[in-house]
Amino acid sequence: MTHWGKQSKAAFCSSQQIRGMSENTPLCLPRHLVFADLTPEEMAQVVRYLRGSLGVRLVDASRAEPSDSCIASVELQVPAKAEVLQFLDGAGARPPREALAVLYFGNQPEPNVTEYVVGPLPTPAYHRDVTVQKYGGKVPYYRRPVTGKEYVDINTLIQQELRKAPRFLATCCESDGTDLAILTTAPRGFKSGDRTTWFVLFHNVAGTGYYLSPVGLEVLVEHKDLHVSRWRLRQVFYNGRYFASTGDLEDAFVANLLEVVRVEKPQADTVLGLMRPRHPPGSPGPLHYEPQGPRYSVRGNRVTFQGWSVAFGMNPNSGPRLFDIRYRGERIVYELSLQEALALYGSNCPGGMSTRYLDGSFGIGRFAYELVRGLDCPYTATYVDRHYLVESETPKTNQNSLCIFEHDAALPLRRHFSDSQSLYYGGLRKNTLVIRAISTLINYDYIWDFMFHGSGAMEVRVHATGYISSSFFHGQGTDYGNRVGPHTLGTMHLHHIHYKVDLDVNGQMNSLETQDMGYELVKEPWSMQNTIERLYLRRERLEREDEAAFPLNAPMPRYLCFASPFTNKWGHPRSYRIQITSFAGEHLPASSPMERSISWGRYQLAVTRRKEEEPTSTSIYNQNDPWTPTVAFADFINNETITNKDLVAWISVGFLHVPHAEDVPNTVTVGNGVGFFLRPYNYFDEDPSVDSPDSVYFKPRHSGPGSDPQCSRGPEGHGAGSTPGTAARASTSCALGPRCWQEAPAGEYGTNKGVNV
């Protein structure tokens, strides 16, 4: 990958820009770099600027105490859409390149979280506080995400407390506590201002996930105070009983007042969840093959492929995001971005029953690690590094953490064999461009896919794999899942994933139109004494946001389209259809005091007016204060008109997962994938894939004197995957005769000779 600041200006500058350049003209940058993630050099410049400009003592976040002030993160500040479009589509100036810096100010009379916009890059000269502008007020300090340093200090406290119950630990789990792993839950308490967290303890065996080996012990830690020395262990849970301290737990054990379930320390070769192969490798399976190299092109943060053009990036919190998605030069989507991933659990243990993970606060993009060639993505894929600055003043790099590849789905995109009137075959392979990243969020691995089809359709999907989370099996545990091990309850949970889709279909001014089927009872025109139930198309234009907010599990029109005011050749509005595949369950009852923090989960789809002040449906601060959410998506829906406006679709997908025996050692992706399509609907005058160079067409040679009366013999025609001069037998025979296909005339068959767009 070439550093974007060093690419050739001639390769990217417009002809107008090149003509106007002199020796003193700054290096011309590609237009799509307006969306490019910050480089490590830019992050470092922002850190240096803040250290010298705020007049506050800043401690590196990797070692900062809660009472210190530190730089929590630095990321790209995406410019306002209006500025970007003036730059991309008109004669507007390039928007200034800026960063968003999040700082934790613990060393102040009123500790708080503050967000600054810093710019212009690469040499910052200003910063402005945007916290109140973004959130309507200051962000209280207790809402900040828990840092790695805070978890280390909590673990130290737990280890100190465990030393107060040596005989209990030795008996219950053959441990002195030092070899146990702790797993955090969230949120942290019951009301705003709380910072009290249940931690679940597991046997820890190197080389395997500990998530399937609970020992039955859970502890509640209060860590709100700015001074670590004042943190306290407030409660202990073991095998259905609660204690005030580990000392009380030990006393109950010594007095023989405690029922102990002895859990042997697992051995490395038999531990539940071991992923080590049990058999030697067999013969290799099929491999992805590109005969003449990749048919897509990647330059900086932009990929092009057979008419598609996409700018890609990665937010360290919310994960993958795409901008300026164009097909055949026309923008279809301005922004397509992951917003949040919710995992909500049930259990009869306190940690499991209280867990509602909002993964954006942990870092969906930050924890998208290096991908394994040949397994996570094809060997031939293009692998891209991603950089981030979180909880440190030094930028970090996740090498090869995003991949791009062309995928042969081994399925026709379309095809037809005609054995009526005339004989011919026409078809096209289903090849798609895939942009993929995989985030490991504690136990779960989420595979994020963005796919681009030759028909002009986009597909977004997520698969869940990795380890299930578990509780210690006791009592009526099977009311909350299935037993998957001697002492392990696979706890039921919901996955909810939320996306933002800023569609610009044939321009920014769009309306929302729905279509579905209905029946009307009419008399048969040719036989008036009889009636028929006639199927008809019911069309409707939704005028306001409240009409366009479709509650979870409620009926939704099967055709729902973003429609432009312009028509195709046949007089229909040029449109893109949203088609959702989801099996989500109820995210939380409406009566829950924390429901507003995930109120986006109320809707399978909601369409709102686009507003610059509503950039995301959630916030990293919602996890630790869901009772007073910093961003409440429900407030976005206020019944404004949505006719011929710049609109955004907010899409929720998900599924209920009840773990079962086959989730050990790992959850498989089969059946655990959900997502949605964005499909052209009268946007074109015909299927645009007819222009694909991969199209295939062949037909039989015409009969002639002296030839077979049914079908004359001749050169075999070209089939899918063939090239000129290569015989490829037809998959079926002539209607009444032998296999005798004619090579199609020039222009009627396609080859696999691809070129980069």
Side-chain angles (χ1 to χ4, degrees):
M1 297 300 296
T2 306
H3 186 284
W4 64 262
K6 299 180 181 178
Q7 293 179 7
S8 165
K9 61 188 176 186
F12 298 102
C13 299
S14 67
S15 57
Q16 179 180 4
Q17 289 170 311
I18 293 174
R19 284 195 299 270
M21 286 194 296
S22 67
E23 292 182 359
N24 298 322
T25 302
L27 186 66
C28 185
L29 298 177
R31 289 180 177 269
H32 56 268
L33 289 175
V34 70
F35 302 112
D37 296 339
L38 298 184
T39 66
E41 293 82 2
E42 289 174 322
M43 296 175 189
Q45 285 279 35
V46 171
V47 170
R48 281 193 286 270
Y49 171 81
L50 291 173
R51 278 194 155 275
S53 303
L54 297 182
V56 176
R57 180 180 179 271
L58 296 176
V59 177
D60 191 297
S62 63
R63 50 184 174 81
E65 301 287 341
S67 56
D68 293 324
S69 297
C70 66
I71 300 171
S73 65
V74 175
E75 63 186 77
L76 174 71
Q77 171 71 14
V78 179
K81 181 178 180 179
E83 294 180 42
V84 173
L85 293 185
Q86 288 174 5
F87 169 64
L88 293 179
D89 302 339
R94 178 183 290 273
R97 188 160 167 82
E98 297 177 319
L100 178 69
V102 177
L103 281 86
Y104 299 164
F105 288 117
N107 189 16
Q108 287 190 356
E110 186 181 355
N112 65 86
V113 178
T114 301
E115 296 191 0
Y116 293 108
V117 168
V118 181
L121 298 175
T123 307
Y126 61 80
H127 64 281
R128 61 181 185 273
D129 186 340
V130 295
T131 314
V132 175
Q133 172 190 336
K134 287 180 66 174
Y135 305 119
K138 293 184 177 181
V139 177
Y141 198 53
Y142 55 78
R143 293 183 187 173
R144 72 193 187 282
V146 175
T147 65
K149 175 64 165 61
E150 191 170 354
Y151 282 125
V152 169
D153 291 337
I154 290 170
N155 187 63
T156 299
L157 171 62
I158 292 174
Q159 290 296 325
Q160 291 172 353
E161 294 298 318
L162 290 179
R163 287 199 286 270
K164 299 176 182 178
R167 286 175 284 187
F168 163 76
L169 287 174
T171 302
C172 88
C173 39
E174 299 180 355
S175 173
D176 62 358
T178 59
D179 57 352
L180 298 180
I182 64 169
L183 175 64
T184 186
T185 65
R188 308 176 190 281
F190 291 99
K191 64 183 185 306
S192 295
D194 285 354
R195 203 171 179 85
T196 306
T197 306
W198 278 103
F199 289 90
V200 185
L201 279 73
F202 298 82
H203 271 131
N204 188 19
V205 177
T208 190
Y210 59 81
Y211 316 102
L212 298 176
S213 303
V215 299
L217 185 63
E218 303 182 12
V219 295
L220 183 65
V221 177
E222 184 178 301
H223 50 111
K224 177 182 177 180
D225 201 285
L226 298 190
H227 299 282
V228 176
S229 62
R230 297 174 188 163
W231 293 356
R232 292 290 181 267
L233 190 149
R234 292 301 184 193
Q235 211 161 13
V236 177
F237 171 85
Y238 177 73
N239 195 24
R241 291 182 58 186
Y242 292 85
F243 302 87
S245 67
T246 52
D248 287 356
L249 175 68
E250 178 81 348
D251 291 344
F253 170 74
V254 172
N256 203 27
L257 299 176
L258 178 65
E259 180 184 354
V260 174
V261 179
R262 298 174 184 267
V263 181
E264 295 181 358
K265 185 174 182 178
Q267 300 302 307
D269 57 346
T270 60
V271 63
L272 203 63
L274 180 65
M275 294 183 66
R276 188 178 303 131
R278 299 182 183 181
H279 301 285
S283 59
L287 292 177
H288 189 88
Y289 175 55
E290 296 174 327
Q292 296 178 322
R295 306 196 301 174
Y296 57 87
S297 175
V298 181
R299 283 182 169 175
N301 68 318
R302 181 171 176 259
V303 57
T304 55
F305 172 74
Q306 295 188 353
W308 287 105
S309 170
V310 183
F312 58 86
M314 180 77 76
N315 181 282
N317 299 313
S318 58
R321 57 187 180 185
L322 308 178
F323 291 99
D324 198 28
I325 301 174
R326 303 187 188 209
Y327 187 65
R328 295 184 167 186
E330 294 187 4
R331 182 179 300 109
I332 308 297
V333 175
Y334 178 76
E335 178 186 353
L336 170 53
S337 57
L338 178 63
Q339 297 289 295
E340 186 61 276
L342 164 70
L344 189 152
Y345 284 80
S347 174
N348 59 345
C349 295
M353 74 175 70
S354 62
T355 293
R356 289 96 173 87
Y357 289 133
L358 296 173
D359 286 329
S361 71
F362 292 90
I364 296 172
R366 170 190 176 189
F367 294 118
Y369 293 117
E370 183 169 5
L371 299 163
V372 175
R373 294 176 184 265
L375 199 156
D376 292 329
C377 307
Y379 286 105
T380 56
T382 298
Y383 292 81
V384 183
D385 297 347
R386 296 288 86 190
H387 312 285
Y388 67 92
L389 190 149
V390 179
E391 294 186 28
S392 172
E393 293 187 355
T394 303
K396 301 290 194 304
T397 297
N398 286 342
Q399 295 183 333
N400 302 329
S401 56
L402 185 145
C403 71
I404 300 166
F405 58 94
E406 183 181 352
H407 171 61
D408 178 2
L411 178 74
L413 180 65
R414 51 178 173 78
R415 60 92 70 191
H416 179 64
F417 170 72
S418 173
D419 63 354
S420 175
Q421 300 298 317
S422 64
L423 289 169
Y424 65 88
Y425 175 91
L428 177 64
R429 291 190 308 173
K430 184 180 178 183
N431 280 15
T432 60
L433 178 76
V434 181
I435 301 174
R436 173 177 293 170
I438 304 179
S439 300
T440 299
L441 295 155
I442 307 179
N443 56 307
Y444 259 109
D445 297 64
Y446 293 101
I447 302 174
W448 313 108
D449 280 346
F450 301 86
M451 307 175 70
F452 302 88
H453 297 273
S455 60
M458 289 162 270
E459 181 180 354
V460 178
R461 67 183 183 189
V462 53
H463 286 92
T465 178
Y467 284 100
I468 59 172
S469 187
S470 68
S471 291
F472 190 75
F473 180 77
H474 75 96
Q476 302 301 310
T478 52
D479 288 347
Y480 310 97
N482 289 308
R483 188 175 182 180
V484 297
H487 307 288
T488 304
L489 175 71
T491 49
M492 64 184 296
H493 54 280
L494 287 171
H495 291 283
H496 274 249
I497 315 297
H498 201 227
Y499 292 90
K500 175 184 181 181
V501 189
D502 183 356
L503 281 151
D504 285 350
V505 180
N506 202 182
Q508 289 179 258
M509 299 298 102
N510 293 161
S511 301
L512 193 64
E513 296 191 348
T514 68
Q515 298 178 12
D516 212 326
M517 57 174 279
Y519 285 101
E520 54 185 359
L521 189 65
V522 298
K523 291 186 178 296
E524 294 178 346
W526 63 93
S527 178
M528 296 299 289
Q529 68 271 29
N530 297 316
T531 58
I532 188 172
E533 298 84 9
R534 182 167 60 186
L535 185 67
Y536 76 98
L537 187 60
R538 186 171 59 240
R539 303 176 189 266
E540 184 180 3
R541 173 169 287 192
L542 304 185
E543 303 288 345
R544 296 193 172 273
E545 288 179 342
D546 286 13
E547 299 175 70
F550 297 94
L552 192 69
N553 299 325
M556 189 169 73
R558 276 165 279 200
Y559 280 70
L560 196 147
C561 301
F562 270 50
S564 82
F566 307 102
T567 63
N568 69 356
K569 180 179 179 179
W570 315 113
H572 296 290
R574 300 186 71 196
S575 307
Y576 257 76
R577 175 190 175 193
I578 299 172
Q579 183 176 345
I580 301 173
T581 303
S582 177
F583 315 100
E586 185 180 9
H587 66 303
L588 268 181
S591 59
S592 169
M594 64 178 69
E595 190 275 341
R596 267 179 55 81
S597 67
I598 49 175
S599 52
W600 49 263
R602 298 175 188 175
Y603 311 101
Q604 49 192 319
L605 171 69
V607 176
T608 66
R609 292 265 294 270
R610 188 194 187 279
K611 297 179 181 178
E612 204 63 49
E613 60 269 25
E614 295 175 350
T616 60
S617 60
T618 186
S619 164
I620 59 173
Y621 312 119
N622 280 14
Q623 176 72 91
N624 291 337
D625 188 7
W627 309 281
T628 310
T630 304
V631 174
F633 176 76
D635 295 341
F636 292 11
I637 302 170
N638 52 13
N639 212 30
E640 291 183 279
T641 179
I642 53 173
T643 301
N644 290 325
K645 302 295 181 182
D646 191 1
L647 304 179
V648 174
W650 307 88
I651 300 174
S652 296
V653 296
F655 59 94
L656 170 66
H657 186 185
V658 183
H660 44 89
E662 293 80 8
D663 281 304
V664 177
N666 265 127
T667 293
V668 298
T669 55
V670 178
N672 289 322
V674 290
F676 59 92
F677 292 86
L678 305 174
R679 300 174 58 187
Y681 188 77
N682 290 319
Y683 186 84
F684 302 101
D685 299 331
E686 62 179 353
D687 175 18
S689 72
V690 297
D691 294 324
S692 171
D694 295 336
S695 296
V696 169
Y697 178 83
F698 45 82
K699 63 183 180 180
R701 182 181 294 277
H702 296 296
S703 299
S707 64
D708 186 292
Q710 302 299 331
C711 182
S712 63
R713 294 182 180 274
E716 302 253 336
H718 294 299
S722 65
T723 54
T726 302
R729 290 195 175 273
S731 59
T732 187
S733 62
C734 299
L736 296 173
R739 297 181 179 181
C740 44
W741 297 90
Q742 176 189 16
E743 181 174 322
E748 289 191 319
Y749 61 78
T751 75
N752 283 338
K753 292 182 178 178
V755 294
N756 287 337
V757 179

